């Protein structure tokens, strides 16, 4: 005999359904099934089935029990084995395997145990879900006795569905899951997991815009209904989709090779900043880049990324922001022109060079346009470069403080700032300017009232990387290079640099040294101790190199390093680019 509650209540024997009577009698059977093989007292049965109207219903209950016995065991009227009287109550004796809900839970547990085989997990969980014939205890959704169990079983059914889909996503499915996920997210608009899975499936199916719209719809729904924001995990997924993060793509297992060749290319960058070609090894700044992309998408024209020296602003724009824009992080941005520059000692010369690099179809008259005295030169130059009326230009000005440390002509400073304002005020919104600025120089552009008034409209603070972001920056390049970082080393390394201003260059340099000293395919804690930790790595290396120089070379090095620093006040310094003739002299 089989008892089914994953849908309408049904009792089946030898493939035939047994008639167990009217609703109240069926409710009695369901109640006994929920407590199978345990005594349910007469008082409880009366209370659960009739509530306040239970008085005088003992005889009715006895009639229902008698009829159920007759239906379940027509051959055993005198000595029933299935529904028996015991201890002032009744027991329904049933082999757990005969109850579909028990088999369902057992199969789900088995599927969850197959963690290393996504295909087997998915197949097992889907097989378990096939036991369902409708809503749990479908006949009793309005009966108080069933509500708790209905809620438990339906939640288990939903989580099992989500886990099956998760396993199928790991197997490479995407497009074929979208329809099911759309129904799930519509049925459960406040539940985050189906939304996250739908976003990922849409993204992998090449529908990034639909994935982002799904997030926005969920964000509005939970905001309106619950007054909360999506979880950090879902926001992070949105950021990864915005940035076309390669980690969202399915990582298929690589074939096992007979011999593993140690990687020779160091994935870390030492003291040099990341460039656009390094986007594949740039990790940890997804949240920052997504925030800048979001500001651009919202129509902000002048965006200022401000942070301490060494906070990674230059790497963020070069290896994060620019590649993201080129990949279409903002709808249509894969067709935009991007110009990247540093102000240098003559910002208009640098600007012309940046504009020329942004396209292969530049006119010879750019220089004349940019030198226009009315401030419209930059806008006119950009309009001359854009191929269509709907095209856009993103001008990234890195190390904006150079405009105030390397340009001594205040009139030249003012003309450059005016040209930027005219460009960003274009009523058609065809120019977006993104600048990076050292925090200790934030007061400099404020001395120019018109520009200073606009500077804070779209301010993005570049804070130190969090512990999680530092872990990504250390671990992900190692994974791509085929090596691993010892957990103990990772903990020490992060502990030394987290919340430490300007530590990123030292962090990268230390990882570079550790990679060179790796034992096989492992970056070890022992090597970290040998080089003296984060602060010792660069100090010891600099001392070693300086010690290898002769007396005259050491004096030349001192002179060179003094020229590479610009002092603009007590304890206020900045890096300074030096012209070749100054070094030769």
């Amino acid at each position: 005999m089989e008892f089914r509650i994953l849908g309408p209540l049904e009792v089946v024997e030898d493939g035939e359904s047994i008639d167990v009577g009217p609703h109240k009698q069926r409710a009695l059977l369901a109640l006994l099934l929920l407590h199978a093989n345990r005594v349910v007292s007469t008082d409880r049965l009366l209370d659960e089935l009739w509530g306040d109207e239970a008085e005088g219903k003992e005889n009715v209950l006895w009639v229902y029990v008698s009829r159920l016995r007759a239906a379940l065991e027509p051959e055993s009227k005198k000595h029933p084995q299935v529904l028996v009287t015991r201890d002032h109550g009744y027991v329904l004796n049933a082999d757990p395997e005969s109850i579909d809900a028990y088999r369902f839970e057992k199969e789900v547990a088995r599927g969850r145990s197959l963690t290393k085989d996504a295909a087997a997990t998915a197949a097992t969980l889907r097989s378990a879900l096939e036991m369902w014939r409708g809503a749990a205890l479908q006949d009793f959704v309005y009966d108080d006795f069933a509500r708790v169990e209905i809620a438990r079983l339906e939640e288990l059914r939903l989580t099992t569905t989500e886990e099956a889909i998760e396993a199928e996503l790991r197997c490479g499915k995407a497009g074929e899951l979208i329809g099911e996920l759309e129904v799930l997210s519509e049925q459960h608009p406040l539940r985050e997991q189906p939304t996250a899975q739908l976003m990922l499936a849409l993204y992998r199916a090449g529908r990034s815009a639909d994935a982002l719209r799904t997030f926005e719809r969920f964000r509005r729904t939970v905001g309106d209904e619950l007054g909360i924001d999506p979880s950090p995990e879902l926001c992070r997924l949105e950021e990864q989709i915005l940035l076309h993060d390669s980690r969202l793509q399915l990582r298929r297992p690589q074939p096992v090779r007979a011999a593993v060749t140690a990687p020779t290319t160091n994935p870390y960058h030492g003291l040099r900043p990341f460039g656009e070609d390094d986007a594949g090894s740039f990790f940890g700044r997804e949240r920052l880049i997504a925030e800048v992309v979001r500001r651009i998408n919202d129509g902000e024209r002048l965006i200022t990324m401000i942070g301490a020296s060494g906070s990674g602003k230059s790497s963020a724009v070069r290896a994060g922001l620019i590649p993201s824009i080129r990949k279409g992080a903002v709808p249509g941005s894969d067709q935009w022109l991007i110009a990247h520059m540093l102000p240098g000692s003559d910002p208009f010369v640098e600007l012309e060079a940046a504009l020329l690099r942004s396209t292969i179809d530049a006119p010879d008259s750019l220089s004349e346009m940019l030198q226009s005295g009315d401030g419209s030169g930059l806008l006119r130059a950009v309009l001359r470069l854009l191929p269509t009326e709907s095209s856009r230009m993103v001008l990234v000005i890195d190390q904006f403080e150079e405009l105030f440390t390397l340009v001594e002509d205040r009139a030249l400073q003012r003309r450059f700032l005016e040209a930027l304002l005219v460009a960003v005020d274009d009523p058609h919104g065809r120019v977006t300017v993104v600048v990076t600025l050292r925090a200790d120089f934030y007061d400099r552009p404020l001395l120019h009232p018109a520009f200073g008034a606009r500077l804070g409209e779209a301010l993005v603070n570049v804070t130190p990387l969090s512990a999680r972001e530092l872990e990504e920056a250390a671990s992900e390049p190692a994974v791509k290079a085929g090596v691993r970082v010892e957990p103990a080393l990772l903990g020490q390394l992060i502990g030394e640099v987290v919340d430490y201003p300007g530590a990123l260059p030292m962090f990268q340099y230390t990882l570079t040294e550790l990679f060179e000293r790796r034992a096989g395919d492992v970056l070890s804690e022992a090597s970290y101790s040998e080089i003296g930790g984060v602060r010792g790595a660069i100090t010891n290396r600099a001392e070693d190199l300086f010690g290898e120089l002769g007396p005259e070379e050491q004096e030349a090095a001192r002179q060179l390093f003094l020229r590479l620093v610009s002092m603009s006040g007590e304890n206020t310094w900045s890096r300074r680019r030096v012209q070749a003739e100054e070094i030769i002299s």
Side-chain angles (χ1 to χ4, degrees):
M1 188 177 296
E2 182 182 352
F3 300 94
R4 300 175 180 175
I5 63 173
L6 301 181
L9 177 65
E10 189 177 13
V11 182
V12 177
E13 186 166 29
D14 297 330
E16 297 292 329
S17 182
I18 297 173
D19 182 3
V20 290
H23 179 81
K24 192 65 74 173
Q25 188 170 303
R26 295 166 64 81
L28 170 61
L29 175 59
L31 183 53
L32 291 167
L33 263 175
L34 295 183
H35 301 85
N37 304 307
R38 289 176 289 168
V39 175
V40 184
S41 69
T42 300
D43 288 342
R44 180 171 183 181
L45 290 172
L46 290 168
D47 183 59
E48 295 279 19
L49 293 175
W50 284 281
D52 295 339
E53 301 174 357
E55 188 174 351
K57 293 293 196 296
E58 291 87 348
N59 288 337
V60 178
L61 175 61
W62 184 87
V63 170
Y64 285 157
V65 170
S66 179
R67 289 177 178 174
L68 278 176
R69 283 172 174 163
L72 298 174
E73 298 179 276
E75 305 296 330
S76 306
K77 293 183 179 181
K78 291 185 179 181
H79 302 287
Q81 299 298 314
V82 178
L83 179 51
V84 300
T85 304
R86 185 181 302 161
D87 299 332
H88 306 290
Y90 299 94
V91 178
L92 181 72
N93 292 317
D95 181 355
E97 292 287 348
S98 70
I99 304 172
D100 60 352
Y102 174 85
R103 296 198 309 275
F104 170 69
E105 295 191 53
K106 184 178 178 181
E107 193 72 353
V108 169
R110 190 172 74 86
R112 288 172 172 173
S113 70
L114 303 171
T115 53
K116 295 183 179 180
D117 189 338
T121 296
T124 304
L125 296 180
R126 288 294 187 186
S127 175
L129 289 166
E130 289 175 1
M131 299 181 193
W132 286 72
R133 299 167 294 108
L137 292 160
Q138 188 171 307
D139 321 66
F140 312 106
V141 290
Y142 299 111
D143 292 82
D144 289 340
F145 79 86
R147 285 178 182 170
V148 172
E149 186 64 8
I150 288 174
R152 188 187 74 83
L153 287 171
E154 288 293 344
E155 175 64 19
L156 181 57
R157 179 188 191 182
L158 181 54
T159 56
T160 301
T161 302
E162 292 170 347
E163 290 168 15
I165 291 172
E166 192 69 29
E168 287 165 344
L169 285 170
R170 285 162 50 203
C171 291
K173 295 183 179 180
E176 55 265 56
L177 295 171
I178 290 173
E180 180 181 7
L181 284 167
E182 286 176 335
V183 172
L184 270 182
S185 59
E186 186 175 338
Q187 291 173 340
H188 306 278
L190 302 179
R191 194 176 179 95
E192 204 162 90
Q193 183 70 357
T195 296
Q197 292 175 328
L198 177 57
M199 290 169 62
L200 182 58
L202 287 167
Y203 177 77
R204 287 182 175 173
R207 296 168 58 182
S208 300
D210 289 335
L212 295 172
R213 278 192 285 270
T214 298
F215 172 83
E216 189 61 27
R217 185 167 57 249
F218 180 81
R219 186 186 64 79
R220 287 196 304 268
T221 300
V222 296
D224 293 343
E225 296 289 332
L226 305 177
I228 62 173
D229 294 324
S231 72
E233 292 76 18
L234 194 67
C235 292
R236 177 167 168 73
L237 176 59
E238 183 225 11
E239 292 162 4
Q240 290 179 300
I241 290 172
L242 275 170
L243 301 176
H244 295 270
D245 193 322
S246 61
R247 287 169 291 179
L248 292 183
Q249 296 298 336
L250 184 69
R251 291 184 178 180
R252 300 190 181 278
Q254 297 297 314
V256 178
R257 293 174 292 180
V260 178
T261 304
T264 56
T265 303
N266 196 318
Y268 302 107
H269 281 245
L271 297 177
R272 65 183 178 88
F274 285 80
E276 190 173 344
D277 292 340
D278 302 315
S281 58
F282 183 68
F283 296 96
R285 279 300 191 188
E286 290 85 356
R287 188 174 296 277
L288 171 66
I289 303 307
E291 177 61 21
V292 180
V293 168
R294 193 174 291 113
R295 297 295 186 98
I296 296 173
N297 194 37
D298 289 344
E300 299 285 1
R301 308 284 182 78
L302 177 60
I303 300 168
T304 306
M305 298 172 63
I306 186 165
S309 176
S311 59
K313 303 180 295 297
S314 296
S315 294
V317 294
R318 293 173 182 174
L321 178 62
I322 292 176
S324 297
I325 293 173
R326 293 200 197 280
K327 290 179 182 177
V330 179
S333 65
D334 53 338
Q335 302 297 318
W336 295 356
L337 296 184
I338 302 175
H340 173 262
M341 63 171 286
L342 283 73
S345 58
D346 191 333
F348 282 104
V349 170
E350 299 292 343
L351 177 59
E352 179 187 7
L355 294 176
L356 289 172
R357 289 193 298 268
S358 71
T359 180
I360 58 174
D361 186 25
D364 296 332
S365 56
L366 275 189
S367 178
E368 296 175 9
M369 291 183 187
L370 292 174
Q371 296 299 334
S372 170
D374 61 0
S376 65
L378 171 58
L379 179 59
R380 289 194 291 115
V382 169
L383 296 181
R384 175 64 181 81
L385 293 176
L386 294 178
T388 67
E389 292 186 3
S390 61
S391 300
R392 289 180 62 178
M393 162 77 76
V394 176
L395 173 61
V396 178
I397 308 178
D398 194 14
Q399 298 182 28
F400 197 55
E401 63 272 6
E402 285 190 359
L403 185 63
F404 310 100
T405 59
L406 299 184
V407 180
E408 298 179 358
D409 187 342
R410 294 291 299 275
L412 180 58
Q413 290 178 10
R414 186 175 59 254
R415 282 199 299 114
F416 188 74
L417 294 174
E418 289 173 353
L420 294 180
L421 285 179
V422 172
V424 298
D425 284 336
D426 169 34
H428 300 288
R430 287 168 290 195
V431 182
T432 298
V433 175
V434 179
V435 304
T436 70
L437 177 66
R438 266 179 50 172
D440 50 341
F441 284 89
Y442 185 62
D443 61 322
R444 301 303 178 84
L446 298 180
L447 297 176
H448 300 263
F451 190 84
R454 299 288 299 279
L455 194 64
E457 291 180 0
L459 200 62
V460 177
N461 293 318
V462 183
T463 56
L465 269 70
S466 67
R468 179 185 59 77
E469 291 169 331
L470 285 167
E471 182 177 349
E472 284 188 6
S475 300
E476 291 295 334
V479 170
K480 296 189 74 170
V483 300
R484 66 181 182 87
V485 184
E486 285 185 351
L489 164 62
L490 202 56
Q492 282 202 41
L493 186 58
I494 292 173
E496 273 207 63
V497 299
V498 69
D499 297 329
Y500 185 83
L504 282 182
M506 293 191 296
F507 178 71
Q508 277 289 327
Y509 182 81
T510 303
L511 286 165
T512 305
E513 286 288 298
L514 289 170
F515 187 88
E516 295 299 330
R517 295 167 179 257
R518 70 191 183 279
D521 62 350
V522 179
L523 275 60
S524 68
E525 185 183 16
S527 297
Y528 185 71
S529 298
E530 287 176 10
I531 64 176
V534 171
R535 288 163 182 78
I538 191 167
T539 301
N540 294 336
R541 180 61 172 157
E543 287 295 338
D544 289 344
L545 290 173
F546 190 75
E548 294 173 2
L549 303 176
E552 291 185 1
E553 293 171 323
Q554 289 183 350
E555 181 58 31
R558 287 192 186 93
Q559 294 294 328
L560 174 60
F561 286 131
L562 288 173
R563 283 168 170 76
L564 295 175
V565 177
S566 174
M567 300 296 296
S568 53
E570 187 177 355
N571 296 324
T572 303
W573 60 273
S574 63
R575 286 172 295 185
R576 176 173 179 263
R577 286 190 291 163
V578 180
Q579 303 221 359
E581 47 275 26
E582 187 175 343
I583 297 175
I584 294 171
S585 68

